[in-house]
Amino acid sequence: MENIVEKIKSIPGLSAIEGCTKEQLQEAQEALDILFPDEYMDYVREFGCIDFGSTEWTGLNIKGRLNTVTATKQEMDVNVFFPKGYFVLENLGIDAKHVIVNEKGEVYILQYDKTTYLCGSISEYLDMCMKK
């Protein structure tokens, strides 16, 4: 099974920033009071954040709307239904839909008060994004 870092490296037209430090990762987990799943930590250590095609994933080592802590806290502030133990991986930019991930690495779509299971891992979600 190909790991998420190798899978991301194979994406044509990938735009990415430098990965985050161990300290940035620890600070982000503390700020959100969660433990990131291993796949997410591997991803942000290598890339910081990525975008390709119509996909923009949040990450660390970046300021603004693509910062995982910023994006998650902003959604928590406006959506009282944001579930504890999750973080924003992607703002889909349509109809208030966000892709969120829990500490197990399971991926969901959050739209207002509705949380819908999408897939069992960030790697599976990446496969879905690559098919868009």
Side-chain angles (χ1 to χ4, degrees), residues 18-125:
E18 184 178 326
C20 72
T21 65
K22 189 171 25 173
E23 292 77 22
Q24 288 170 317
L25 194 50
Q26 184 63 39
E27 288 169 8
Q29 290 181 109
E30 288 172 9
L32 297 174
D33 192 27
I34 63 172
L35 294 175
F36 293 128
D38 289 343
E39 273 190 324
Y40 186 76
M41 291 193 289
D42 292 345
Y43 151 63
V44 293
R45 277 192 212 114
E46 182 73 24
F47 299 103
C49 79
I50 61 170
D51 93 54
F52 60 94
S54 62
T55 299
E56 287 183 322
W57 282 12
T58 64
L60 302 176
N61 201 23
I62 188 169
K63 293 185 185 316
R65 68 180 182 79
L66 289 178
N67 178 282
T68 302
V69 175
T70 301
T72 302
K73 286 188 171 194
Q74 283 177 342
E75 186 58 18
M76 287 174 167
D77 286 347
V78 299
N79 186 349
V80 297
F81 300 104
F82 193 93
K84 184 165 176 48
Y86 287 71
F87 63 94
V88 172
L89 179 64
E90 185 175 20
N91 179 343
L92 296 178
I94 185 165
D95 297 332
K97 290 181 182 177
H98 290 78
V99 175
I100 60 172
V101 179
N102 65 18
E103 292 178 321
K104 295 180 206 170
E106 298 166 331
V107 182
Y108 295 79
I109 295 281
L110 173 67
Q111 183 179 28
Y112 305 113
D113 62 340
K114 185 178 180 189
T115 304
T116 307
Y117 178 83
L118 199 55
C119 56
S121 72
I122 298 170
S123 186
E124 282 180 65
Y125 180 63

Side-chain angles (χ1 to χ4, degrees), residues 1-4 7 39 57 121-128:
M1 180 174 163
E2 187 177 24
N3 75 35
I4 195 162
K7 196 180 286 191
E39 273 190 324
W57 282 12
S121 72
I122 298 170
S123 186
E124 282 180 65
Y125 180 63
L126 178 60
D127 291 340
M128 295 167 71

